[in-house]
């Protein structure tokens, strides 16, 4: 009898846990949607801010965020995948490589503000790119680099060794094996990892705080050396700067909704790809 | 001849990959080196112990004070508070998904939680600032709503999906035979869960907890927006604090390159880097130890 009571109590607590978790997360999303939806309009998505940030739209911030994300991916994707291929397929399996793998995993967990610090010291000041889209792209690129490397490595390691052996046995060269057998087999895994990290980059604020972002630009970004507006930074700036608190909060909700849809949309694509993949294996 | 051309081609591809791999490693090594190069000079001007245990952080006063104890304690309080929330909620939710949810519910909840783990921190910051802080201020009758407690609460909720997702992965790796053996000797589901499944997946669960903690320590925007930003040693939970990450974010824009203040912020970055390194090493050690214990050696 006692056993049963404990079990029911325990299971009740577990249900409570998931209930509380979903309730809180649901509340946050609900508020952002309800309050953000009111301010969203075609004008809000495409126009520049007007009347000291109290009217107009956030078009340049949306474009700025897209620029930063695309730039970061163009920079980090080839480097990251190549590094993962090298580490799993070419490099000798020894102590040094193990250390490298552990350091990459560690860097994937380093706070994003530390990357911001690095970007500020190196790209903004040392290389003299200034506060610009370029500095921001490079900083965000370095932030996702370890994540892309570890996700790709995991996907490559999951390809059974027998695939490689079979390919080499029929006379394919090392590169042919990688190109025709290993990469295709690992590509869904690599893809999910990469897309998930893109989603994270789009929402990052701390690394662009003093490398790329600014509260207001006149019109849309012009060159890679100009400062850009970005959605996450814009939310922060609206909440902490300026004088029209009431109106700015409304616009911040609108920005948060766009950002949420963007980030969750990107992540959803990755998760759907993975679910499909799992189903085909089962 | 053909064989030779092929060998050259192979060599070229290997060369390209080696080059790109080392280029990316160079960037990653660069971060570490930069942190040390820009952070260590602070200790020429401020003694190491005075920096870590100094009680006053007045970087712009004349004369300036560079004691980061208030900032360390700010981070610590907020993180401890967040862990108290995200560990029970995250692990509990993972156990629910793994043990109690049916096939369909599981197939729905697992990706949902994973998706929610990706909500940008700035969104939590906004929500905390506009909704939670005023609510708590009124509810608890506080002078200010932006406190360590508010920060802990928001961070805890924010880290919960991460902890849950990784813990659930770990739970799903427990071999079916473990449960079957437990049922066979007469244990019920709850006993099996607490005495067999949880110990067997403890390494994965603790990795999840470690990652949740390092997310909480390293989180910047949320704490910058909801913790109040007062760089004083916190006496209670319901007082504004200024964690290390928030300090860097708030002050970096105004520093002069090469100044003591500039170096002190890099030194804080270096400390954050070492803290995450510590978390990762602990997580790695735990997972190795348990792997050996379970005989799942890799």
């Amino acid at each position: 009898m006692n056993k049963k009571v404990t079990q029911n109590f325990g299971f009740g607590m577990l249900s409570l846990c998931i209930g509380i978790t979903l309730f809180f997360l649901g509340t946050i999303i609900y508020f952002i949607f309800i309050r953000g939806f009111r301010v969203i309009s075609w004008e809000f998505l495409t126009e520049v801010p007007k009347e000291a940030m109290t009217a107009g739209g956030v078009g340049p911030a949306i474009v700025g965020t897209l620029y930063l994300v695309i730039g970061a991916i163009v920079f980090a994707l080839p480097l990251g995948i190549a590094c993962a291929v090298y580490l799993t397929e070419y490099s000798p399996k020894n102590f040094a490589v193990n250390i490298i793998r552990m350091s990459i995993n560690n860097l994937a967990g380093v706070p994003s503000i530390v990357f911001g610090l690095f970007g500020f010291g190196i790209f903004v000041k040392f290389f003299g790119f200034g506060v610009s889209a370029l500095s921001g792209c490079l900083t965000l690129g370095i932030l996702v680099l370890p994540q892309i490397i570890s996700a790709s490595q995991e996907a490559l390691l999951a390809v059974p060794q027998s695939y490689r052996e079979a390919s080499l046995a029929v006379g394919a060269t090392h590169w042919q094996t990688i190109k025709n057998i290993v990469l295709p087999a690992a590509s869904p895994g690599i893809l999910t990892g990469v897309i998930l990290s893109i989603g994270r980059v789009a929402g990052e604020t701390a690394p662009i705080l003093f490398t790329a972002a600014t509260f207001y630009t006149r019109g849309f970004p012009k060159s890679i050396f100009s400062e850009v507006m970005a959605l996450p930074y814009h939310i922060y700036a609206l909440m902490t700067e300026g004088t029209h608190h009431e109106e700015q909060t409304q616009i911040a909700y609108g920005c948060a909704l766009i950002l949420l849809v963007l980030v969750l949309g990107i992540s959803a694509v990755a998760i759907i790809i993975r679910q499909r993949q799992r189903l085909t294996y089962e | 001849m053909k064989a030779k051309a092929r060998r050259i081609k192979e060599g070229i591809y290997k060369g390209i990959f080696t080059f790109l791999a080392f280029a990316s490693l160079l960037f990653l090594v660069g971060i570490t080196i930069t942190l040390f190069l820009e952070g260590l000079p602070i200790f020429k001007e401020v003694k190491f112990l005075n920096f870590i245990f100094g009680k006053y952080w007045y970087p712009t006063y004349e004369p300036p004070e560079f004691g980061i104890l208030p900032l360390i304690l700010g981070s610590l309080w907020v993180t401890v508070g967040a862990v108290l929330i995200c560990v029970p909620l995250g692990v509990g939710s993972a156990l629910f998904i793994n043990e109690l949810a049916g096939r369909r519910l599981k197939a729905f909840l697992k990706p949902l939680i994973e998706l929610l783990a990706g909500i940008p921190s700035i969104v939590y910051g906004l929500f905390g600032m506009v909704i939670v802080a005023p609510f708590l201020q009124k509810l608890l009758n506080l002078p200010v709503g932006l406190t360590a407690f508010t920060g802990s609460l928001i961070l805890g909720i924010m880290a919960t999906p991460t902890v849950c997702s990784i813990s659930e992965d770990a739970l799903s790796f427990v071999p079916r035979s473990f449960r079957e053996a437990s049922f066979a000797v007469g244990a019920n589901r709850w006993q099996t869960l607490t005495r067999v499944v949880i110990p067997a997946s403890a390494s994965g669960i603790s990795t999840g907890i470690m990652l949740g903690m390092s997310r909480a320590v390293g989180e910047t925007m949320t704490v910058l927006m909801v913790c109040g930003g007062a760089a004083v040693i916190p006496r209670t939970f319901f007082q504004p604090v200024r964690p290390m990450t928030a300090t860097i974010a708030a002050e970096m824009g105004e520093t002069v390159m090469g100044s003591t203040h500039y170096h002190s912020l890099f030194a804080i970055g270096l400390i954050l880097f070492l803290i995450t390194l510590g978390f990762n090493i602990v997580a790695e050690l735990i997972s190795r130890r348990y792997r050996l214990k379970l005989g799942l050696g890799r």
Side-chain angles (χ1 to χ4, degrees):
Chain A
M1 191 59 210
N2 194 9
K3 247 168 89 173
K4 186 116 203 214
V5 173
T6 320
Q7 168 160 311
N8 286 341
F9 177 73
F11 283 169
M13 290 308 282
L14 296 186
S15 313
L16 190 66
C17 283
I18 188 101
I20 294 173
T21 305
L22 291 178
F23 171 75
F24 278 131
L25 294 169
T27 312
I28 293 173
I29 293 181
Y30 173 81
F31 264 100
I32 301 292
F33 260 89
I34 293 296
R35 303 238 170 136
F37 206 73
R38 283 189 221 144
V39 292
I40 300 274
S41 64
W42 182 246
E43 192 205 3
F44 187 76
L45 296 175
T46 54
E47 296 279 303
V48 297
K50 284 174 200 154
E51 289 160 43
M53 297 294 166
T54 56
V58 292
I62 299 174
V63 174
T65 289
L66 293 180
Y67 276 11
L68 288 174
V69 172
I70 292 168
I73 294 304
V74 166
F75 166 66
L77 196 62
L79 279 180
I81 294 180
C83 188
V85 169
Y86 176 79
L87 288 175
T88 48
E89 307 297 321
Y90 284 113
S91 74
K93 304 275 169 287
N94 57 25
F95 186 69
V97 174
N98 259 335
I99 293 284
I100 292 175
R101 185 169 301 160
M102 273 176 66
S103 332
I104 290 170
N105 281 338
N106 181 50
L107 276 169
V110 167
S112 56
I113 186 77
V114 174
F115 284 88
L117 211 49
F118 168 76
F120 181 73
I122 293 298
F123 301 125
V124 176
K125 297 287 177 182
F126 185 75
F127 285 130
F129 296 152
V131 176
S132 64
L134 181 63
S135 301
C137 289
L138 292 173
T139 308
L140 288 176
I142 289 191
L143 173 75
V144 280
L145 191 56
Q147 298 173 14
I148 291 181
I149 296 174
S150 29
S152 310
Q153 251 190 331
E154 223 165 90
L156 288 166
L157 286 173
V159 176
Q161 200 55 35
S162 56
Y163 282 29
R164 295 183 183 89
E165 284 157 7
S167 166
L168 293 171
V170 294
T173 63
H174 198 169
W175 167 243
Q176 285 169 333
T177 306
I178 293 170
K179 186 182 67 170
N180 299 329
I181 307 295
V182 179
L183 281 179
S187 61
I190 295 179
L191 202 62
T192 30
V194 168
I195 300 175
L196 279 176
S197 50
I198 295 175
R200 300 234 163 94
V201 165
E204 280 289 353
T205 320
I208 57 171
L209 212 50
F210 24 78
T211 58
T214 184
F215 192 12
Y216 177 67
T217 55
R218 279 212 263 154
F220 289 82
K222 289 182 187 69
S223 90
I224 53 168
F225 290 107
S226 56
E227 295 178 298
V228 289
M229 289 172 69
L231 279 175
Y233 180 74
H234 202 59
I235 298 172
Y236 172 66
L238 283 167
M239 295 309 297
T240 51
E241 287 172 35
T243 45
H244 306 277
H245 202 255
E246 199 56 39
E247 293 90 339
Q248 287 182 196
T249 306
Q250 296 308 314
I251 297 177
Y253 271 117
C255 291
L257 177 57
I258 302 170
L259 189 67
L260 204 58
V261 169
L262 190 72
V263 170
L264 294 187
I266 294 172
S267 312
V269 171
I271 288 166
I272 290 168
I273 293 176
R274 179 158 24 173
Q275 284 305 93
R276 286 242 172 111
Q277 188 67 12
R278 268 185 204 152
L279 289 182
T280 26
Y281 272 123
E282 278 165 15
Chain B
M1 203 56 215
K2 210 174 162 193
K4 199 180 172 193
R6 191 187 254 185
R7 212 171 322 134
I8 291 172
K9 201 172 150 195
E10 285 292 303
I12 291 173
Y13 279 115
K14 187 173 177 183
I16 294 172
F17 278 107
T18 315
F19 172 75
L20 289 175
F22 278 91
S24 45
L25 294 177
L26 192 72
F27 277 117
L28 299 181
V29 172
I31 296 182
T32 322
I33 293 176
T34 311
L35 282 179
F36 276 95
L37 280 184
E38 298 281 26
L40 290 180
I42 181 76
F43 300 120
K44 270 189 246 157
E45 294 175 49
V46 186
K47 276 198 203 119
F48 178 74
L49 287 180
N50 290 352
F51 185 69
I52 301 286
F53 295 110
K55 286 184 195 147
Y56 303 101
W57 175 257
Y58 298 130
T60 53
Y61 278 31
E62 202 53 53
E65 291 262 7
F66 295 100
I68 64 166
L69 191 62
L71 317 180
I72 295 178
L73 289 177
S75 282
L76 189 72
W77 282 58
V78 171
T79 306
V80 168
V83 165
L84 290 178
I85 294 167
C86 76
V87 169
L89 281 184
V91 176
S93 305
L95 288 170
F96 177 90
I97 294 174
N98 187 267
E99 180 69 30
L100 293 180
R103 237 182 109 93
R104 277 204 164 161
L105 190 59
K106 191 171 170 179
F108 170 71
L109 284 177
K110 184 91 210 297
L112 180 72
I113 294 284
E114 210 171 349
L115 193 64
L116 293 173
I119 298 177
S121 57
I122 189 80
V123 173
Y124 286 98
L126 174 68
F127 180 76
M129 210 171 176
V130 187
I131 309 282
V132 180
F135 175 74
L136 285 177
Q137 188 180 358
K138 214 177 268 174
L139 185 76
L140 305 170
N141 204 7
L142 299 169
V144 280
L146 303 172
T147 61
F149 180 74
T150 319
S152 303
L153 197 65
I154 302 280
L155 274 191
I157 295 166
M158 185 173 154
T160 300
T162 310
V163 175
C164 174
S165 198
I166 297 169
S167 304
E168 210 284 328
D169 282 339
L171 289 168
S172 66
F173 284 136
V174 175
R176 212 192 153 112
S177 57
F178 280 36
R179 288 171 199 260
E180 281 162 1
S182 170
F183 290 141
V185 295
N188 68 7
R189 281 171 74 191
W190 179 251
Q191 288 171 321
T192 305
L193 195 64
T194 50
R195 294 182 206 170
V196 177
V197 179
I198 294 179
S201 53
S203 72
I205 293 178
S206 46
T207 310
I209 293 173
M210 283 290 163
L211 280 175
M213 273 169 78
S214 87
R215 198 172 170 194
V217 176
E219 178 41 46
T220 310
M221 295 321 289
T222 317
V223 295
L224 182 60
M225 290 169 86
V226 301
C227 287
V232 289
I233 292 179
R235 309 244 171 249
T236 71
F237 245 119
F238 301 100
Q239 203 177 315
V241 292
R242 188 184 194 108
M244 292 190 277
T245 48
T247 309
I248 301 176
E251 296 173 15
M252 197 62 196
E254 299 148 19
T255 59
V256 181
M257 191 183 178
S259 66
T260 315
H261 190 193
Y262 177 87
H263 289 308
S264 70
L265 295 180
F266 269 93
I268 296 174
L270 182 60
I271 292 168
L272 281 170
F273 177 86
L274 295 176
I275 291 173
T276 21
L277 185 70
F279 278 141
N280 275 306
I281 290 174
V282 171
E284 180 79 23
L285 288 178
I286 294 173
S287 72
R288 263 200 208 157
R289 184 172 213 185
Y290 273 93
R291 232 181 249 153
L292 292 180
K293 220 175 175 180
L294 277 174
L296 302 170
R298 247 210 238 181

